[in-house]
Amino acid sequence: MSDPLAAVAQLPGVAEAVDEARKSVDRLYRHRVLRRASPAVSTESSLRGARASSALAGADVTLEALRADEVGDPVVQGALRASAELGRLGPTWRKAPRQVLARLHAVAAAGLVPAEDLGRPAASGPRVEALFGLLETPTKAPAVVLAAIVHAELAVLKPFGSADGVVARAAERLTLVEYGLDPKSLVAIEVGHLEQDYEAGLKAYLTGTPEGVAAWVCQCASAVSLGARETTAVCEAMQRG
């Protein structure tokens, strides 16, 4: 098919879930706090997202410990670095996805693998190449659908052999930013994944059935809604002072 992601977007339940995710983001973006404090909210969302991504990778720490810079765990530090790197990688994502993923792995896996292995895929193959093809080909599918497929493919294929989950979640967030759903990177989608049965969703995707793929995309859409709720709570706290 010339646009396989458009076909995914038409699977049962996907359009409704994607529409609800978009509405959740729209509501968040209308919050009055964002008129004056959008960068601060984005920074807090990034921190919460990195913490959640670390927890999904098996390194669960508190926000307080992160803020106090008391955590030396390389998984956590890698998630923080990957999150911080997204702002610099955005313009390159559509043009050179291989380069962006290599950079994300280099910062996420530092301290976990030898320096010469940073940014180098440990495995390739037709499916990995197909993922790059998807990223380099225009699609009419919503950003949530593209982000969900990018996330799942990286998470299940594990092309780098280390820190693949952190890279996958960072790539998902970057896709939502660069493809227009969340241009200010406010949605803490990683928190949304942490609040659901993440592994079950990936197992459903891995079946390759239309039902399994649809279930995963719907779960990612729900993660967007939950992540928007998390950031809305940040906005409310700032508004209260």
Side-chain angles (χ1 to χ4, degrees), residues 1-8 130 133-141:
M1 295 181 63
S2 60
D3 191 354
L5 291 174
V8 173
L134 282 178
L135 286 165
E136 294 165 352
T137 303
T139 178
K140 294 182 179 178

Side-chain angles (χ1 to χ4, degrees), residues 16-85:
E16 294 82 358
V18 168
D19 186 56
E20 182 54 42
R22 181 186 56 78
K23 289 177 180 176
S24 297
V25 176
D26 288 345
R27 286 193 294 270
L28 167 62
Y29 269 68
R30 289 196 294 269
H31 200 287
R32 63 171 57 188
V33 162
L34 296 175
R35 298 173 191 169
R36 58 178 174 79
S38 179
V41 174
S42 178
T43 298
E44 180 65 17
S45 171
S46 178
L47 183 70
R48 293 181 182 222
R51 190 207 73 80
S53 189
S54 300
L56 288 166
D60 199 355
V61 297
T62 66
L63 281 170
E64 291 71 22
L66 286 183
R67 290 197 181 98
D69 197 21
E70 296 174 347
V71 182
D73 188 298
V75 172
V76 177
Q77 290 299 319
L80 288 169
R81 287 191 297 268
S83 184
E85 195 73 9

Side-chain angles (χ1 to χ4, degrees), residues 1 31 48-49 53 60 87 90 97 131 144-145 152 164 166 180 183 193 221 223:
M1 295 181 63
H31 200 287
R48 293 181 182 222
S53 189
D60 199 355
L131 172 60
V144 172
V145 174
D164 292 286
V166 170
H193 282 301

Side-chain angles (χ1 to χ4, degrees), residues 126-220:
R127 192 160 166 177
V128 175
E129 292 303 313
L131 172 60
F132 290 132
L134 282 178
L135 286 165
E136 294 165 352
T137 303
T139 178
K140 294 182 179 178
V144 172
V145 174
L146 175 58
I149 299 303
V150 168
H151 179 165
E153 288 292 303
L154 291 170
V156 301
L157 294 178
K158 298 180 172 59
F160 294 102
S162 59
D164 292 286
V166 170
V167 171
R169 291 182 287 275
E172 179 185 36
R173 184 166 182 143
L174 183 59
T175 302
L176 295 177
V177 171
E178 291 304 311
Y179 285 78
L181 181 68
D182 181 24
K184 295 182 179 180
S185 194
L186 299 175
V187 177
I189 187 171
E190 304 89 344
V191 175
H193 282 301
L194 186 60
E195 292 185 13
Q196 302 180 87
D197 194 335
Y198 182 70
E199 293 300 329
L202 286 174
K203 286 180 182 177
Y205 178 84
L206 197 53
T207 65
T209 64
E211 294 80 10
V213 173
W216 168 252
V217 176
C218 289
Q219 185 165 322
C220 289

